[in-house]
Amino acid sequence: MKKITIAIDGHSSCGKSTMAKDLAREVGYIYVDTGAMYRSVTLYALRKELFEADGSVKIQELEQEMPNIHISFQLNAETGRPDTYLNGECVEKEIRSLEVSNHVSPIAAIGFVRRALVAQQQQMGKDKGVVMDGRDIGTVVFPDAELKVFVTASAEVRAQRRFDELKAKGMPADFEDILKNVQERDFIDSHRDESPLRQAEDAVLLDNSNMTIEEQNQWLLEQFKNATRIAELCSPTCSL
């Protein structure tokens, strides 16, 4: 079966990472969580105190530190999903904290950060057979992806999901703080100058506000099967 590239974009906390991970495991593809990459840079910046008191980023200092930031993914044998590693340390739990969530959008808006991570992402997916989710996968990283999906849900639903996720992990969580963070990230992600969040013209829209994880996984699997069939039928010069 011909391998394809799957680009899943969407708003924060809409469940795109969960569905991307599940699809990758189901079809035997590589999964890359690009959001985790930006969160890892954010965690590094927090640890190095590269934020001003007002939350702005110390741009010059971060740019000097970028060569020292190495992000990788390793499969977790227990969960069957990849964990995120920052300079050899598993930071899967740390990068999901509300503190990181509150600081990641300014980091993700920095041009040299995006260019560095986009280059890594394109290298990871050069041989296809990859499922990648983020904010600009279908528009910037892989504009020629055979399957593009744009995922959204209401801000309240997304905040509740994030709240439940943090509580399940035993991490502190306040619903109103999370809702505010979701709304602020939506605005910043959609209005930044560098690779703003937007739906690609040829992306399939999925509003999963009222869907279960099983329902959205089944929906995505059908989209994958359709895209793969089209890719098989098309000649190398076919425009999808």
Side-chain angles (χ1 to χ4, degrees), residues 64-102:
Q64 293 174 350
E65 289 286 343
M66 282 302 293
N68 301 320
I69 302 175
H70 303 287
I71 304 164
S72 59
F73 297 93
Q74 296 182 29
L75 187 66
N76 185 317
E78 293 184 3
T79 65
R81 294 175 172 177
D83 285 339
T84 310
Y85 283 73
L86 172 61
N87 295 334
E89 174 195 354
C90 181
V91 292
E92 190 63 34
K93 182 176 180 179
E94 289 80 357
I95 62 174
R96 310 298 174 183
S97 69
L98 186 57
E99 182 181 24
V100 170
S101 295
N102 284 333

Side-chain angles (χ1 to χ4, degrees), residues 103-141:
H103 289 84
V104 67
S105 287
I107 291 287
I110 298 172
F112 65 79
V113 173
R114 297 205 69 85
R115 288 189 290 272
L117 297 190
V118 165
Q120 291 183 38
Q121 294 155 13
Q122 290 174 332
Q123 182 64 26
M124 291 175 182
K126 63 182 178 63
D127 296 324
K128 295 188 178 291
V130 63
V131 184
M132 198 172 290
D133 74 276
R135 301 289 193 280
D136 61 350
I137 311 304
T139 55
V140 176
V141 183

Side-chain angles (χ1 to χ4, degrees), residues 52-225:
E52 302 286 3
D54 63 357
S56 60
V57 183
K58 298 178 182 178
I59 300 294
Q60 292 184 340
E61 289 90 334
L62 177 59
E63 188 167 16
Q64 293 174 350
E65 289 286 343
M66 282 302 293
N68 301 320
I69 302 175
H70 303 287
I71 304 164
S72 59
F73 297 93
Q74 296 182 29
L75 187 66
N76 185 317
E78 293 184 3
T79 65
R81 294 175 172 177
D83 285 339
T84 310
Y85 283 73
L86 172 61
N87 295 334
E89 174 195 354
C90 181
V91 292
E92 190 63 34
K93 182 176 180 179
E94 289 80 357
I95 62 174
R96 310 298 174 183
S97 69
L98 186 57
E99 182 181 24
V100 170
S101 295
N102 284 333
H103 289 84
V104 67
S105 287
I107 291 287
I110 298 172
F112 65 79
V113 173
R114 297 205 69 85
R115 288 189 290 272
L117 297 190
V118 165
Q120 291 183 38
Q121 294 155 13
Q122 290 174 332
Q123 182 64 26
M124 291 175 182
K126 63 182 178 63
D127 296 324
K128 295 188 178 291
V130 63
V131 184
M132 198 172 290
D133 74 276
R135 301 289 193 280
D136 61 350
I137 311 304
T139 55
V140 176
V141 183
F142 293 115
D144 296 325
E146 290 87 348
L147 174 58
K148 300 178 186 179
V149 178
F150 190 89
V151 190
T152 189
S154 70
E156 290 75 16
V157 166
R158 288 183 282 135
Q160 186 64 52
R161 289 172 179 170
R162 185 71 178 145
F163 176 83
D164 293 341
E165 178 185 5
L166 291 173
K167 296 297 287 186
K169 292 180 178 179
M171 300 174 69
D174 179 88
F175 177 80
E176 293 302 326
D177 288 344
I178 294 172
L179 178 59
K180 180 181 178 182
N181 171 255
V182 166
Q183 294 168 334
E184 289 177 345
R185 289 184 65 189
D186 284 352
F187 182 85
I188 295 173
D189 290 345
S190 301
H191 290 81
R192 66 185 179 219
D193 294 330
E194 191 84 21
S195 304
L197 171 65
R198 64 180 178 83
Q199 181 181 341
E201 292 184 1
D202 53 347
V204 184
L205 178 64
L206 172 65
D207 185 331
N208 64 9
S209 297
N210 300 308
M211 296 177 72
T212 65
I213 292 177
E214 291 74 18
E215 288 172 340
Q216 71 177 15
N217 284 352
Q218 185 58 43
W219 179 91
L220 183 58
L221 183 59
E222 289 302 317
Q223 299 299 318
F224 166 77
K225 290 178 179 178

